[in-house]
């Protein structure tokens, strides 16, 4: 009898967890330089993964980062300009940015470049489309703490 109760409780918990699926999305906004004026662009234009550290804590927010790219296309410095919540997303977001590979898709020669990039980390909704829609709205709000 105890085994049946335990099994039933485990099934109920699994059902609740399955219904509580929370989708997440990361929205990237390139603030400066304008796309037409940039030397370096991300090699793979795919949405970065939501940092597990933030997802586990249920953290949503945004961060604006100054990114220095050297003449070889390597991010040499990633510094936080502003974020909401303040400084909570700095480390995991900086790691996401540092992992990007940069390529010169312009007609300009390789040269160092400064970029201002905003990352929005959004959670919620029962589908990926809902999470993406929330991110589109969030990306229009100020990202200052």
């Amino acid at each position: 009898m105890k085994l049946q109760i335990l099994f039933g409780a485990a099934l109920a918990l699994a059902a609740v967890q399955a219904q509580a699926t929370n989708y997440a999305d990361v929205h990237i906004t390139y603030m400066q330089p304008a796309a037409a004026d940039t030397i370096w662009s991300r090699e793979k234009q795919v949405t970065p993964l939501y940092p597990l550290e933030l997802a586990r804590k249920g953290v949503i927010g945004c961060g604006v980062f100054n990114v220095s790219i050297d003449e070889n296309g390597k991010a040499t410095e990633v510094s936080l300009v502003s974020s909401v919540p303040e400084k909570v997303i700095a480390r995991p977001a900086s790691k996401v940015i540092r992992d990007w590979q940069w390529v010169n898709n312009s007609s300009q020669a390789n040269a160092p470049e400064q970029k201002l990039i905003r990352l929005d980390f959004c959670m919620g909704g029962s589908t990926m489309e809902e999470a993406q829609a929330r991110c589109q709205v969030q990306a229009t709000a100020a990202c200052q703490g």
Side-chain angles (χ1 to χ4, degrees):
M1 183 68 172
K2 287 182 182 179
L3 185 59
Q4 289 174 333
I5 293 172
L6 185 59
F7 184 73
L11 282 177
L13 179 60
V16 168
Q17 287 176 338
Q19 290 175 350
T21 299
N22 204 6
Y23 288 84
D25 190 36
V26 178
H27 182 82
I28 305 165
T29 304
Y30 296 95
M31 301 171 75
Q32 293 176 357
D37 301 327
T38 190
I39 297 171
W40 300 100
S41 60
R42 286 189 311 134
E43 183 174 44
K44 296 178 183 172
Q45 296 295 321
V46 296
T47 301
L49 295 176
Y50 205 98
L52 192 55
E53 177 181 337
L54 298 179
R56 283 186 178 146
K57 295 177 183 176
V59 174
I60 62 170
C62 60
V64 176
F65 297 87
N66 189 20
V67 181
S68 299
I69 301 172
D70 69 13
E71 64 279 352
N72 298 313
K74 180 169 175 39
T76 57
E77 185 179 337
V78 178
S79 58
L80 180 67
V81 175
S82 64
S83 71
V84 174
E86 191 172 335
K87 299 188 182 183
V88 172
I89 66 169
R91 190 170 52 86
S94 293
K95 183 180 179 336
V96 167
I97 294 169
R98 285 186 193 280
D99 288 344
W100 292 344
Q101 301 297 313
W102 298 92
V103 294
N104 184 343
N105 287 328
S106 73
S107 59
Q108 302 174 48
N110 285 6
E113 183 173 53
Q114 293 289 108
K115 292 186 174 290
L116 195 60
I117 299 172
R118 175 178 168 153
L119 293 181
D120 282 277
F121 298 93
C122 313
M123 283 187 138
S126 57
T127 66
M128 191 60 184
E129 291 77 22
E130 286 181 28
Q132 290 169 339
R134 287 176 185 228
C135 238
Q136 290 293 332
V137 172
Q138 180 179 312
T140 63
C143 187
Q144 298 176 9

